[in-house]
């Protein structure tokens, strides 16, 4: 039989979000040209291309939520809106001449390791195929929408949309229900509250919410940053340092987060004068256990006469209503799901097949696990950006992504210098690394703070998403490629 895999590249990068574009840019900087960047959407940006709900923005200041090697002096606001972040990534594609490497509308369906040829076989949704010595997966941990399993969901007769799949829906004169009150909901609720005829918000767990200190960046400041880049670097460093100061309250003792707790309580008191509503919105778990939200307009939106917050659990959904556990029917025309993502199940079944036909989905059934969040035993020559336990509850993930990119470049350099064709992390090294990680996480507020969150795997209860510490600790860990922890093959 003839080999259907005709095109071969040294590297294939999957996903053109922060991870994929950052990796591609740094490859170009290092002189590497033999790679392609495959993106399933028809534009670049990853999460910032896909998520289009009103009010979508980043809750990490933009001067830190951007690449250290591609500073942008022109951010319009402290917290840039979605379209500006997406435009920044497009600008990076131009700046680093990535267009020739970028292939849009190419959704990778399967990645299969070929042990005989020691390369990956990659097939996309069009049936097109390619082989590669190395694959860098930058598909992100929050790209698969989480659909709630509520009785009667299928019977609903109106429109159902997930926050990630928003297409400019018209909410005028509609009675709308929103399920979920996490990071996405607090951004779009204030935007749609004045548009919908009636907005009913179903809250399962209240969140700790801090004021969002957003502001426009003056043109004088932008000019200063453009003229003296070190000034912008200093600003970035300051934002990073302040964010790092949150770690003790998350990792050492939650009592150290007293400042944020006071600030959040005062914010709630000031914005919600109604004691009954305030009670519904008061969390009963440790601050930081779930992601702390930033919003200055969510609470005021809940005070509107056309908005109602329901904290009674949902019993079922009927063709024209949501019925809560008290038996009350909330008649609606449209349902918006702000129910988050399948963060603990980031890889679909059958997508990544490693040595001995191992399906990564199956390997991770007790929760995703990797070595340094980047390599997985049995999946040679595969690097993951934002893999297991590299998400953050306190700082910019771009800092983590850059650490992983640098690490991957070092690993590739080592392979090339030593004329090696494949590398696989030793099972014992991966186990040791994760045992240590889980021991640290066991003491953290995410595991002990008496809340449920997407950080924890629903079956094993393990925290498979967050990095347990300061970002500098991760950078320090990733400063060297520890070849002793890997098995290598040098010849066919
Ligand atoms: P999320 O934070 O996971 O929130 C999901 C919400 O849906 C929660 O309120 C959850 O309640 C509720 N929910 C889930 N299943 C439910 C069910 N069956 N019945 C009733 N309620 C249900 O999701 P998200 O808001 O989309 O945010 C996810 C993550 O994306 C964030 O944590 C963040 O990392 C990222 N994000 C970032 C930004 C940013 O500005 N950087 C913005 C948006 C999102 P419980 O709390 O009780 O589980």
């Amino acid at each position: 039989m003839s080999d259907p895999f005709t095109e071969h590249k040294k590297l294939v990068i999957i996903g053109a979000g922060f991870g994929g574009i950052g990796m591609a840019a740094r490859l170009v900087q290092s002189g590497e040209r033999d790679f392609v960047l495959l993106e399933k959407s028809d534009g670049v940006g990853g999460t910032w291309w896909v998520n289009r709900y009103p009010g979508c923005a980043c809750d990490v200041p933009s001067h830190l939520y951007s690449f250290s090697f591609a500073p942008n002096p022109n951010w319009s606001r402290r917290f840039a809106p979605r379209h500006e972040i997406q435009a920044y990534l497009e600008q990076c594609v131009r700046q680093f001449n990535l267009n020739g490497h970028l292939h849009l509308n190419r959704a990778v369906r399967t990645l299969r390791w070929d042990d005989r040829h020691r390369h990956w076989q990659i097939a996309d949704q069009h049936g097109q195929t390619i082989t590669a010595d190395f694959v860098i997966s930058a598909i992100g941990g929050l790209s698969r929408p989480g659909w709630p399993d509520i009785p009667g969901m299928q019977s609903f007769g109106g429109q159902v949309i997930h926050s990630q799949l928003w297409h400019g829906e018209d909410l005028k004169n509609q009675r709308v229900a929103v399920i979920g009150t996490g990071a996405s909901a607090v951004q779009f609720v204030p935007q749609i509250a004045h548009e919908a005829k009636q907005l009913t918000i179903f809250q399962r767990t209240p969140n700790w919410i801090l004021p969002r200190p957003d502001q426009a960046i003056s043109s004088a400041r932008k000019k200063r940053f453009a003229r003296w880049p070190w000034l912008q670097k200093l600003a970035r460093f300051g934002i990073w340092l302040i964010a790092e100061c949150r770690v003790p309250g998350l990792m050492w003792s939650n009592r150290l987060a007293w400042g944020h707790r006071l600030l959040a309580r005062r914010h709630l008191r000031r914005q919600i004068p109604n004691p009954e509503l305030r009670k519904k919105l008061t969390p009963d778990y440790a601050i930081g256990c779930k992601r702390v939200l930033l919003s200055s307009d969510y609470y005021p939106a809940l005070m509107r006469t056309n908005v109602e917050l329901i904290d009674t659990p949902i019993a079922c959904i009927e063709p024209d209503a949501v019925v809560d556990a008290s038996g009350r029917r909330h008649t609606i025309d449209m349902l918006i799901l702000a129910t988050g993502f399948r963060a603990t199940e980031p890889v679909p079944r059958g997508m990544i097949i490693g040595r001995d036909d191992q399906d990564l989905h199956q390997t991770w059934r007790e929760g995703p696990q990797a070595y340094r969040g980047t390599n997985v035993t049995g999946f040679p020559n595969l690097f993951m950006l934002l893999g297991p336990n590299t998400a953050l509850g306190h700082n910019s993930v771009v800092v983590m992504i850059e650490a992983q990119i640098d690490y991957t470049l070092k690993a590739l350099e080592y392979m090339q210098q030593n004329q090696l064709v494949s590398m696989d992390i030793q099972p014992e090294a991966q186990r040791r690394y994760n045992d240590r990680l889980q021991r640290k996480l066991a003491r953290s507020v995410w595991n002990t703070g008496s809340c449920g969150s997407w950080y924890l795997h629903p079956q094993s209860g393990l925290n498979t998403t967050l990095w347990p510490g300061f970002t500098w600790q991760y950078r320090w860990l990733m400063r060297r490629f520890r070849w002793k922890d890997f098995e290598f093959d040098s010849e066919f």
Side-chain angles (χ1 to χ4, degrees):
M1 228 168 77
S2 66
D3 186 353
F5 296 90
T6 45
E7 197 184 349
H8 183 84
K9 292 281 170 194
K10 180 174 174 189
L11 295 125
V12 165
I13 306 170
I14 307 173
F18 262 100
I21 291 175
M23 186 77 233
R26 298 282 282 109
L27 280 172
V28 166
Q29 278 184 335
S30 72
E32 181 61 64
R33 297 287 183 274
D34 189 10
F35 72 91
V36 286
L37 174 54
L38 306 180
E39 166 56 49
K40 68 177 177 187
S41 302
D42 47 5
V44 302
T47 198
W48 303 106
W49 174 264
V50 176
N51 281 279
R52 285 160 186 253
Y53 58 78
C56 183
C58 187
D59 58 10
V60 177
S62 303
H63 284 298
L64 184 59
Y65 194 77
S66 44
F67 296 120
S68 62
F69 56 85
N72 171 19
N74 297 316
W75 292 115
S76 67
R77 308 194 65 80
R78 189 174 155 81
F79 298 97
R82 174 206 87 78
H83 66 86
E84 210 174 314
I85 303 172
Q86 194 271 328
Y88 165 76
L89 288 170
E90 253 173 32
Q91 166 59 28
C92 288
V93 168
R94 286 192 295 274
Q95 182 179 341
F96 295 97
N97 286 321
L98 304 181
N99 266 318
H101 302 276
L102 177 65
H103 298 264
L104 299 174
N105 293 310
R106 281 193 75 178
V108 170
R109 287 283 181 258
T110 54
L111 275 180
R112 183 176 282 278
W113 175 251
D114 177 344
D115 222 7
R116 189 158 69 95
H117 297 101
R118 310 251 169 78
H119 64 206
W120 285 95
Q121 300 171 344
I122 300 135
D124 72 8
Q125 88 274 34
H126 309 296
Q128 285 183 15
T129 53
I130 184 169
T131 55
D133 299 332
F134 297 93
V135 170
I136 294 151
S137 166
I139 60 175
L142 301 176
S143 57
R144 304 181 73 205
W147 298 87
D149 190 12
I150 300 173
M153 187 84 183
Q154 303 302 330
S155 72
F156 183 65
Q159 197 179 0
V160 183
I161 46 175
H162 188 280
S163 60
Q164 195 208 36
L165 307 167
W166 202 292
H167 297 293
E169 274 73 11
D170 186 7
L171 308 182
K172 273 193 201 84
N173 297 320
Q174 301 275 334
R175 290 164 299 179
V176 179
V178 174
I179 301 181
T181 53
S184 304
V186 300
Q187 291 188 343
F188 70 73
V189 161
Q191 307 295 317
I192 65 170
H194 62 271
E195 201 183 328
K197 187 166 142 197
Q198 172 68 33
L199 188 59
T200 312
I201 300 164
F202 290 89
Q203 169 190 281
R204 196 163 63 175
T205 317
N207 283 288
W208 287 96
I209 303 183
L210 293 171
R212 189 166 184 261
D214 193 17
Q215 60 182 45
I217 296 175
S218 68
S219 50
R221 192 150 198 240
K222 288 181 206 165
K223 275 188 199 143
R224 277 200 300 276
F225 281 162
R227 187 155 176 211
W228 298 298
W230 61 268
L231 211 56
Q232 189 174 348
K233 274 196 185 130
L234 199 65
R236 181 184 171 95
F237 178 74
I239 300 166
W240 171 80
L241 198 61
I242 290 169
E244 289 287 80
C245 293
R246 297 177 191 140
V247 171
L250 300 168
M251 286 301 300
W252 303 349
S253 163
N254 199 242
R255 269 181 290 196
L256 298 170
W258 62 272
H260 279 155
R261 203 162 31 241
L262 278 183
L263 192 59
R265 287 209 177 117
R266 195 181 65 174
H267 185 48
L268 177 61
R269 241 186 355 260
R270 283 194 174 165
Q271 293 204 321
I272 304 284
N274 175 339
E276 209 178 308
L277 182 56
R278 200 158 63 218
K279 194 158 165 254
K280 285 186 187 176
L281 290 165
T282 304
D284 63 355
Y285 55 88
I287 190 166
C289 182
K290 287 164 109 61
R291 188 183 170 95
V292 176
L293 308 181
L294 298 188
S295 176
S296 298
D297 52 7
Y298 177 64
Y299 288 150
L302 300 183
M303 299 290 295
R304 292 176 62 96
T305 51
N306 66 331
V307 177
E308 188 179 5
L309 182 79
I310 305 293
D311 67 345
T312 313
I314 298 170
C316 66
I317 293 179
E318 294 184 349
D320 64 343
V322 178
V323 183
D324 71 32
S326 73
R328 187 173 161 206
R329 285 183 95 254
H330 304 266
T331 311
I332 54 162
D333 307 305
M334 188 189 253
L335 184 56
I336 302 176
L337 303 174
T339 44
F341 303 89
R342 293 156 77 175
T344 51
E345 214 186 64
V347 177
R349 189 185 298 276
M351 182 183 173
I352 305 183
I353 311 290
R355 271 200 170 128
D356 305 322
D357 283 337
Q358 276 187 76
D359 184 338
L360 187 57
H361 179 89
Q362 184 65 12
T363 307
W364 280 356
R365 66 193 175 281
E366 296 293 313
Q369 209 185 75
Y371 170 81
R372 300 186 175 188
T374 310
N375 303 108
V376 183
T377 298
F379 296 82
N381 292 12
L382 174 68
F383 295 87
M384 290 178 187
L385 303 182
L386 282 189
N389 293 102
T390 56
L392 296 174
H394 74 284
N395 209 324
S396 169
V397 287
V398 180
V399 176
M400 303 296 274
I401 290 173
E402 285 195 33
Q404 290 186 305
I405 291 173
D406 288 348
Y407 178 84
T408 304
L409 289 173
K410 279 174 208 138
L412 294 173
E413 194 184 326
Y414 180 86
M415 296 281 292
Q416 188 158 346
Q417 277 172 0
N418 294 283
Q419 299 180 337
L420 300 166
V421 289
S422 77
M423 53 176 274
D424 197 1
I425 183 67
Q426 292 171 17
E428 183 52 25
Q430 182 173 309
R431 196 190 55 72
R432 257 197 330 264
Y433 174 80
N434 280 283
D435 286 351
R436 224 175 128 231
L437 200 77
Q438 291 301 332
R439 271 200 302 279
K440 281 182 100 180
L441 280 162
R443 301 190 302 266
S444 74
V445 70
W446 307 302
N447 290 38
T448 61
S450 309
C451 77
S453 73
W454 61 261
Y455 301 148
L456 308 180
H457 191 266
Q459 272 85 46
S460 65
L462 290 178
N463 189 329
T464 57
T465 49
L466 289 180
W467 168 248
F470 297 96
T471 60
W472 65 258
Q473 289 174 308
Y474 187 68
R475 292 196 78 116
W476 180 255
L477 178 76
M478 300 296 270
R479 76 196 183 284
R480 270 194 223 122
F481 173 62
R482 207 178 134 86
W483 57 268
K484 283 182 193 154
D485 285 344
F486 289 82
E487 281 161 9
F488 298 97
D489 280 315
S490 54
E491 56 190 45
F492 291 103

